[in-house]
Structure formats: structure tokens, C-alpha cells
Amino acid sequence: MSKWMSKKTGSIFMISTMTVMLAACGSEESSGSSEGEGSKYPEDSIEVVVPAGAGGDTDRNTRTLANYMEEELGVSLVIQNVEGSGGSTGTSEVLDSDPDGYRVVAYHDAMLLNNILGLTDYSYSDFELAGISILDQSNTFMVSAEAEYDNAEEMIEYAKKNPGDVNVATETGAFTHLQLLAIQQETGAEFNIVDAGGASDKITALLGGQVDVVPTSLGLVEEYVESGEMKSLGILAEERLEQFPDVPTFQEQGIDVTFDKTFMWAFPPETPEEVVNTFSEAMETVVTDNEEFREEISSYAVQPEYMNPDEAEKLLDETNEYYTELNESTE
């Protein structure tokens, strides 16, 4: 510095040169910043991991919503079915993914149950929630048309008289697993609980006579009801469904057990808030305002129901507490 001060002319030249250089750098940084702010997420296709097999209600609901969200986001949403371990194989893949917004998981309450039942050491709170999109109150128990019981009350009565004789399909650690534990606890019935895989696998098992009862979404098996191949024993809701007014609730039949299934979307931890918000806002637009989507999804006997990340977290906190208490009471 002292050398520069002793050579005034050189000093002025150097300072002027540095000033020009700094100004140029500042201009470049400003330009880069503007470009960063102007760049729009998403700029590439988004992989949607469905932790369930193709053909089930999770897969169907996700593909339906993704189809409409592509119009809002302007990119493709590519569905990847990743089965295994009650859904935990798929959720763990997303949990460990780069938090860049280009991989998201679409799942439901089973993520909570995976943790409660000991399949995972993480839960919904470890992800960046994008929100809830669908509410399913059509959870039902299906049997073949030839079954000797026509409703849940008769099925429970038979199961109590014949402990372990009623083979009920589920997937260990999944949503229907806790339903069965809760109903056994409530009624004193004893089922033979069979791990038959995902939704489509359980339906195949029932059609093939490998199991007697399949807990599933009523909207998913509507065609089998209409064809006379299956019948519903009731739904695990507080009220009958408008779409199936003749199907009674379990509560009506003296079985005080209800379950709603909420379908959520979540990103890996540390995904930028602006990315999550962009995705969530697109979801809100479709679920709330797109009448074509609302009509299509409602035809599956589920409800289009948007909740933003904060609302979703609150509901899942309450649900997690309920499931935890319920599981503890069945142990």
C-alpha cells in the first residue's frame, strides 16, 4: 500500500482499473442474481415416487392428479412405482434424494404407520410437506359374493365363533394393518391376518379365493360390486357415502371404528421453500379450481381436499397421535 501511495500516478491508474473491474464483477453478480431470480422451477420433468404397486388406489389417485398438475407446472410428472415393506422402500428412497425439487413422494397415512409399527425410524415430519390433495372415506371390507356373511356385524360374529378362521388380507405395516388390529381390539374377534401385498395383490387374492376378506377403498373395487363378484360389508366412516348410499357404516353395525385416508405429497428434507411452495400452489389450483379433475377424482369415491403444508402438518400431527394411542391399546 505504501508503494502505491508514493507513486501517485500509478496509484490512480491502479485504483481506476480496480474500480472498473469491481464494477464489472458487480454487474456480473447482479446479472447472475437476476437470472437466478428469473429462472422458474420446474425446468425439467419431476419424478413422482408412489410407494405402492400399479393398479391400486394410491397409484390411481396419484396418476390422476399428476396428469392435471402437468398443465399447471409445464413439465412432465413421471410416476415410478416403488413397492416393498409397507411402502417404506419408496419413502426411504425419496428421503435420501437430492433436495432439488425433482423427486417427490405421493403417499398416505401408511407413512405414519410405518414408523409407529417399527418399520422405519422416520416419518412425515422428516420430509418437506407439499400438502394434502385427497381424502378417502370409502375404506371398506370386501368379500366374495358367495361369502356367508353379508355385513360386518355378521362377519365379526362368525370370526368370534371361529377364531383364526377368517383370512383377512393386508400388507404388514400398511394402512389396513392398523384397521385390523383396531377392529380386533374393539370387537374381540380374532382374524388370521395374511400379508398379501399391495392393493391390487389383495384384490387378486380375494378373486382367487386365497383370502376371505380384503380391506380396501370401495371406489377401487366398484366394478366388482357392479358385476356381482364382490360385496361390501360396510365402510369405516362416520356417515354413508353419497355414491354408495346402501352401504352401511361399521358404526351403524355396532363397531365403533373409523378410518380416513389422507393422500399427501412430500419432498426430501431441505428442499427449498420456494420450490415446495411452487409445487403446492399448482396442487391447490388443480384440487380447488379444476372442475374436470374434481369430477374425475370424485368418481373414485374419494374427495378432492387441498391442505397447504402447515394445514397438512397439523392434521398429520393429530392423526399420528391417534394412531399411536390406538396401536398402544392393541399391544
Side-chain angles (χ1 to χ4, degrees):
M1 193 73 178
S2 59
K3 282 186 177 181
W4 290 358
M5 291 298 293
S6 64
K7 298 181 180 179
K8 189 173 181 181
T9 303
S11 174
I12 294 174
F13 174 78
M14 288 291 294
I15 292 173
S16 299
T17 302
M18 290 174 65
T19 301
V20 171
M21 290 175 64
L22 287 171
C25 289
S27 176
E28 288 177 3
E29 289 179 4
S30 176
S31 174
S33 175
S34 296
E35 288 177 6
E37 292 173 359
S39 63
K40 298 294 184 181
Y41 166 84
E43 297 179 312
D44 201 352
S45 60
I46 300 171
E47 181 182 351
V48 181
V49 173
V50 176
D57 57 328
T58 307
D59 179 68
R60 179 200 58 192
N61 294 341
T62 301
R63 289 179 186 275
T64 301
L65 180 55
N67 182 51
Y68 289 91
M69 286 188 63
E70 288 182 340
E71 300 175 16
E72 290 297 320
L73 293 170
V75 298
S76 298
L77 270 64
V78 182
I79 308 298
Q80 297 290 337
N81 296 92
V82 183
E83 301 179 74
S85 301
S88 61
T89 302
T91 57
S92 65
E93 282 197 13
V94 175
L95 185 72
D96 296 332
S97 296
D98 292 334
D100 56 10
Y102 290 96
R103 205 173 198 203
V104 62
V105 63
Y107 205 30
H108 51 66
D109 305 63
M111 187 189 292
L112 286 63
L113 297 175
N114 287 170
N115 178 257
I116 292 170
L117 296 174
L119 289 181
T120 65
D121 59 1
Y122 60 85
S123 191
Y124 65 96
S125 56
D126 294 294
F127 292 80
E128 302 293 344
L129 290 171
I132 286 171
S133 57
I134 294 168
L135 174 65
D136 185 359
Q137 296 180 312
S138 73
N139 300 289
T140 184
F141 276 31
M142 300 298 299
V143 297
S144 69
E146 293 77 29
E148 58 185 280
Y149 23 83
D150 294 320
N151 54 54
E153 186 177 6
E154 293 177 1
M155 185 267 290
I156 293 298
E157 183 179 349
Y158 179 90
K160 292 172 75 172
K161 290 180 179 178
N162 304 275
D165 279 4
V166 179
N167 299 313
V168 187
T170 188
E171 183 177 10
T172 302
F175 185 65
T176 56
H177 190 179
L178 188 59
Q179 291 178 9
L180 296 175
L181 297 179
I183 290 172
Q184 287 187 144
Q185 172 75 8
E186 171 69 17
T187 65
E190 183 181 335
F191 304 129
N192 178 36
I193 299 176
V194 180
D195 191 336
S200 59
D201 297 320
K202 289 183 288 187
I203 293 169
T204 300
L206 179 60
L207 292 171
Q210 284 85 44
V211 295
D212 303 309
V213 182
V214 168
T216 188
S217 171
L218 186 51
L220 185 64
V221 292
E222 183 177 4
E223 63 180 292
Y224 297 109
V225 175
E226 292 177 347
S227 69
E229 296 175 82
M230 296 182 187
K231 55 187 176 183
S232 170
L233 301 181
I235 57 170
L236 295 164
E238 294 182 355
E239 298 179 357
R240 295 192 183 199
L241 297 173
E242 182 178 342
Q243 193 167 338
F244 301 98
D246 296 329
V247 178
T249 68
F250 273 47
Q251 284 187 328
E252 288 178 60
Q253 302 176 67
I255 305 166
D256 190 18
V257 177
T258 62
F259 277 87
D260 294 342
K261 185 190 290 186
T262 50
F263 289 85
M264 72 187 84
W265 296 65
F267 287 93
E270 299 185 9
T271 300
E273 184 178 0
E274 58 271 22
V275 167
V276 177
N277 288 342
T278 296
F279 192 92
S280 183
E281 288 164 7
M283 186 194 309
E284 179 181 17
T285 299
V286 172
V287 175
T288 305
D289 300 330
N290 192 310
E291 291 303 322
E292 187 177 351
F293 164 77
R294 292 178 63 83
E295 182 177 347
E296 182 174 353
I297 204 71
S298 296
S299 71
Y300 305 146
V302 297
Q303 299 170 233
E305 185 77 31
Y306 171 77
M307 293 186 188
N308 66 35
D310 290 338
E311 294 167 334
E313 184 175 22
K314 181 179 179 181
L315 176 63
L316 292 173
D317 284 345
E318 294 171 354
T319 304
N320 193 61
E321 182 178 355
Y322 169 66
Y323 286 168
T324 300
E325 293 174 355
L326 186 58
N327 180 60
E328 290 173 351
S329 71
T330 64
E331 293 178 343

